[in-house]
Every structure is written in C-alpha cells, then in structure tokens.
C-alpha cells in the first residue's frame, strides 16, 4: 500500500469520526430536557473535551472515542475545570452506590431465583472479613442441601459481590443467553441461585453440596471511575479444599462498554463446554487447550 493510499484512508476515517461526533452532538441537543421539579440537577453524561486550543483535535477526539479514560479534560490554572470535577464526583458516587446499595428486591423478584446468604451479615462485615463472604450461612446450607439440584454438569451462581449495579445491568441479558447456550450443547444445569454478599470462593462450598462438575459465578467487580457496571464470570471444575485462584478461569469486563452481556453468555457456554471436555479449569485448562 502506498503512502498516498494510507493518507487517504486516514483522511476518510477522520472525516467519518467528525461526522459521527457532529451527529451525536446534534442528537444530544435535540433531546427534550426533563421537567424542572426544583430538586433534580441535570448534568450531561457526555464528557467534554476541555482543551482550548489543541494542536491536533482530530487525533484527540479519535482517542477519546475508543476509551472512557479522562483524556484532554483541560484545566483552569492548577485546578480541574468545574465540569470535569463534577463529572468525577458523579462517577465516584455511582461507584460508591454500586458497592453499598445492594441488588434491589424488585430485580430479585424479576429474576425469580432462590436467594441465599453468606455469613457476612452486612456490607461492613463483607468488606472487612473476606472469609465471611466465602461461606454460606447455616440456613442457606440447609436450604441448598434440601432444595438444590444435585448431580448436574453446571451450577450457576449470581452474586452482587462489589457491584450490585453490574448485576442489574448485565444479568437480565446474560443469563438467558448462557442458559440457551448450555441447552443447545446438551449440558445439564441446576436452577441458578443468587447469593447475597458472596465472594468467588463460595462456589467451592456450593459445588461440594450439589455435586456438580463445574460452577460458574457471575459476580459484580470492584467499580472504577470509568464504569460501575463491570461483571465477571469465574469458572472452576470440580473444586476441592485445595483449590486456589489459578484453578479458576475468568471472563471479565462484561458490560455495555466491554463484552456485551448477550455475547458474553454465548461465549461462556463455549468455554464451559471446553472445560467439561478437558476436565480442567484455570491454568491447567489453558495448557491443555493449547497443547
């Protein structure tokens, strides 16, 4: 490819980016504003470029469109601009809410799943005592022993973890895609369960009780200031008391800005099928897959 061709491609790409940016701006300006009720503060979600005289605005805009990082926000003297500061505080509040508010009762009713508890009685204990989130409460153990589906290939756990926002934003689309994928592959699974304030390692205890081959935990990840809705899927094949982190396979960054939940559900079904075939997860699974 000649230098002229490359320059023409770059020119066309930049022109398309400018066109999309203009269309997006026009769309946002045409949206009707909510009624002013005196209590609601309207603040734009779109992050603004704060540089007054950028040397190459097209390149900066191109980079800003492929990452949610706070780039080219500018400054006033030695301080952030007010818009950037307020956006930072909004994202910080969203991250705090994701950790502390918990999955809503309405969402749990919509999922229609059994709700179990760990030994962490509240969020404070969950954050300060790791082991409390790794073990089911005595009542939940009894429920799972009496009502859990036994001897299936797969047991699915959904847990709020460190982001209830991630569960509410992704599970509604991810879970049906995952279940459909397992059905198409003739992989049996027990009824999914929701575990409140659960950590990843609680899957080991669940597997021991229901006697499944594989456990997959869909769990909210620690929120950042770019997104509070990131979910991860941790999978382990026949865990034991000696299982460690390297025995687990993880698919992370599941959210609308990363791997979309529907796509993630289908991909998880493929990975689960491979793990069951190779009878190994984690590092061992990767070694066997590429042997």
């Amino acid at each position: 490819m000649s230098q002229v061709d490359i320059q023409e491609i770059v020119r066309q790409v930049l022109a398309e980016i400018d066109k999309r940016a203009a269309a997006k701006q026009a769309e946002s300006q045409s949206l009707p504003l909510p009624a002013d009720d005196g209590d609601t503060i309207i603040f734009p979600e779109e992050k603004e470029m704060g540089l007054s005289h950028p040397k190459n605005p097209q390149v900066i805009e191109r980079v800003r469109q492929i990452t949610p990082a706070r780039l080219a926000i500018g400054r006033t003297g030695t301080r952030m601009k007010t818009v950037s500061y307020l956006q930072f505080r909004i994202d910080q509040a969203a991250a705090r809410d994701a950790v502390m508010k918990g999955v809503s009762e309405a969402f749990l009713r919509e999922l229609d799943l059994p709700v179990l508890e760990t030994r962490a009685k509240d969020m404070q204990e969950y954050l300060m005592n790791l082991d409390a989130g790794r073990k089911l409460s005595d009542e939940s153990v009894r429920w799972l022993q009496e009502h859990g589906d036994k001897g299936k290939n797969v047991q699915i756990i959904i847990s709020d973890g460190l982001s209830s926002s991630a569960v509410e934003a992704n599970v509604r689309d991810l879970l049906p895609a995952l279940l459909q994928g397992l059905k198409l592959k003739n992989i049996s699974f027990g009824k999914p369960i929701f575990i409140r304030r659960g950590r990843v390692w609680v899957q080991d205890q669940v597997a021991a009780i229901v006697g499944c081959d594989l456990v997959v935990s869909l769990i909210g990840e620690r929120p950042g200031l770019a997104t509070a809705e990131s979910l991860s899927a941790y999978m382990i094949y026949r865990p034991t008391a000696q299982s460690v982190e390297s025995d687990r396979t993880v698919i992370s960054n599941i959210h609308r800005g990363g791997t979309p939940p529907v796509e993630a559900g289908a991909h998880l079904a493929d990975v689960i099928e491979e793990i069951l075939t190779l009878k190994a997860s984690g590092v061992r699974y990767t070694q066997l897959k590429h042997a």
Side-chain angles (χ1 to χ4, degrees), residues 37-102:
D37 56 8
D39 297 324
T40 303
I41 299 175
I42 308 301
F43 196 85
E45 292 186 8
E46 190 71 21
K47 294 181 175 61
E48 299 179 0
M49 185 167 72
L51 297 182
S52 302
H53 304 288
K55 182 178 291 186
N56 196 333
Q58 291 89 352
V59 171
I60 293 176
E61 189 59 36
R62 183 180 178 185
V63 173
R64 283 165 51 85
Q65 290 189 6
I66 61 176
T67 174
R70 297 168 196 280
L71 301 176
I73 60 175
R75 60 186 171 87
T76 300
T78 58
R79 296 183 294 106
M80 298 169 66
K81 290 189 173 183
T82 301
V83 170
S84 298
Y85 175 71
L86 292 176
Q87 189 68 60
F88 175 84
R89 294 297 302 270
I90 290 171
D91 290 345
Q92 189 180 42
R96 183 179 178 83
D97 282 350
V99 175
M100 303 303 295
K101 71 178 183 181

Side-chain angles (χ1 to χ4, degrees), residues 65-138:
Q65 290 189 6
I66 61 176
T67 174
R70 297 168 196 280
L71 301 176
I73 60 175
R75 60 186 171 87
T76 300
T78 58
R79 296 183 294 106
M80 298 169 66
K81 290 189 173 183
T82 301
V83 170
S84 298
Y85 175 71
L86 292 176
Q87 189 68 60
F88 175 84
R89 294 297 302 270
I90 290 171
D91 290 345
Q92 189 180 42
R96 183 179 178 83
D97 282 350
V99 175
M100 303 303 295
K101 71 178 183 181
V103 176
S104 70
E105 293 300 325
F107 186 78
L108 292 177
R109 285 196 296 273
E110 179 186 342
L111 288 181
D112 190 27
L113 300 180
V115 179
L116 307 184
E117 306 265 355
T118 64
R119 295 180 182 176
K121 295 181 176 58
D122 52 39
M123 204 60 195
Q124 186 68 18
E125 184 175 12
Y126 176 79
L127 294 174
M128 301 302 292
N129 183 355
L130 298 183
D131 288 339
R134 292 172 174 170
K135 293 293 183 183
L136 293 172
S137 67
D138 292 341

Side-chain angles (χ1 to χ4, degrees), residues 19-32 46:
K19 183 179 176 182
R20 291 182 183 179
K24 200 168 185 179
Q25 184 177 9
E27 182 183 357
S28 62
Q29 291 174 346
S30 65
L31 292 174
E46 190 71 21

